[in-house]
Amino acid sequence: MYLKIKRLIDIILSLIGLIILSPIFLVLILAIKLDSKGPVLFKQKRVGIHKTYFYILKFRTMRIDTPKDTPTHLLQNPDQYITKVGKFLRKTSLDELPQIWNIFVGQMSIIGPRPALWNQYSLIKERDKYGANDVPPGLTGLAQINGRDELPIDVKAKLDGEYVETLDFWLDVKCFFCTIVSVVKRDGVVEGGTGRIGNKEIANNKARNSK
């Protein structure tokens, strides 16, 4: 039942977001075009609900010669590929704004497990254990407010499973507002590695977020 209400909320909020943020979209599009060669939007094949595929949208933050289908945190020297405007977009998470369209058309939800790359087989397999591949992926979720890029795959999948198991309005509200705090503080953003946060730190993060 809640999934139907959740979808209605997604449609309303994403439509409002597209309208209100349209001036910001125009400014960012102009900045990207003036900064480097290439398209404004970056499309990437991701895993959606029930392991179907869709193309996630982002503002392009990297040069067009960047290795394809490789998570940024797995690149040996990601800074060499990130554009000047891209650094700002990534720091502020504004590069994620085009995903409002993915939400509006039903490929994503505002809150849910972050969609895996099509070739992140270990993460996809681990999520199967918790049913985390059977709900719409989200712009942000429980894993994103508990470590983001620093989380090892097994911990990330377990947190996604906890989200699916609970799946209620108040958890979505919590994830939404905690994400705003995380973006401002840049918690868990890693451009050159992953799985760096220890289990003790994860537990501390979860304890803080539950208060």
Side-chain angles (χ1 to χ4, degrees):
M1 179 64 183
Y2 176 60
L3 282 177
K4 293 182 179 179
I5 298 174
K6 181 180 173 70
R7 176 61 190 144
L8 181 60
I9 293 172
D10 285 339
I11 293 173
I12 295 172
L13 292 184
S14 59
L15 179 58
I16 292 173
L18 287 170
I19 296 171
I20 293 178
L21 297 174
S22 57
I24 296 177
F25 273 72
L26 292 175
V27 171
L28 295 180
I29 287 170
L30 181 61
I32 293 168
K33 291 299 291 183
L34 292 174
D35 182 48
S36 62
K37 294 180 180 179
V40 171
L41 292 178
F42 170 69
K43 298 180 181 181
Q44 193 174 55
K45 189 176 179 180
R46 297 282 182 126
V47 179
I49 186 171
H50 304 312
K51 292 188 283 189
T52 56
Y53 295 127
F54 73 101
Y55 283 90
I56 198 172
L57 301 177
K58 293 186 178 186
F59 281 126
R60 182 176 58 82
T61 61
M62 308 187 86
R63 301 198 322 249
I64 56 176
D65 60 340
T66 304
K68 297 182 181 298
D69 293 327
T70 302
T72 307
H73 61 264
L74 293 183
L75 294 173
Q76 290 187 352
N77 185 14
D79 285 338
Q80 67 175 313
Y81 298 109
I82 301 174
T83 64
K84 292 178 181 179
V85 171
K87 288 181 180 179
F88 169 75
L89 294 177
R90 296 170 78 90
K91 183 177 181 180
T92 57
S93 291
L94 289 173
D95 61 315
E96 310 284 356
L97 285 182
Q99 288 162 52
I100 295 175
W101 178 255
N102 290 120
I103 294 169
F104 181 69
V105 299
Q107 297 168 329
M108 291 176 60
S109 179
I110 295 173
I111 310 296
R114 191 73 184 134
L117 276 165
W118 66 272
N119 57 359
Q120 287 182 295
Y121 304 116
S122 296
L123 177 58
I124 297 167
K125 183 178 179 181
E126 196 70 21
R127 281 177 169 172
D128 270 336
K129 298 178 182 179
Y130 305 102
N133 291 315
D134 297 324
V135 297
L139 181 64
T140 185
L142 195 57
Q144 279 60 54
I145 64 173
N146 282 286
R148 274 177 88 173
D149 297 337
E150 293 183 339
L151 294 173
I153 287 175
D154 58 334
V155 176
K156 185 180 295 186
K158 188 174 182 179
L159 285 168
D160 291 333
E162 288 180 16
Y163 172 80
V164 173
E165 185 177 355
T166 305
L167 199 63
D168 64 21
F169 175 76
W170 294 112
L171 180 57
D172 280 0
V173 171
K174 172 188 167 183
C175 288
F176 182 83
F177 285 105
C178 285
T179 295
I180 295 175
V181 175
S182 294
V183 168
V184 172
K185 295 171 62 179
R186 292 206 77 217
D187 285 346
V189 178
V190 179
E191 298 289 19
T194 187
R196 296 183 178 181
I197 191 168
N199 289 329
K200 183 177 181 180
E201 291 176 272
I202 295 170
N204 288 339
N205 282 341
K206 291 181 66 176
R208 286 197 299 269
N209 289 324
S210 65
K211 293 180 180 179

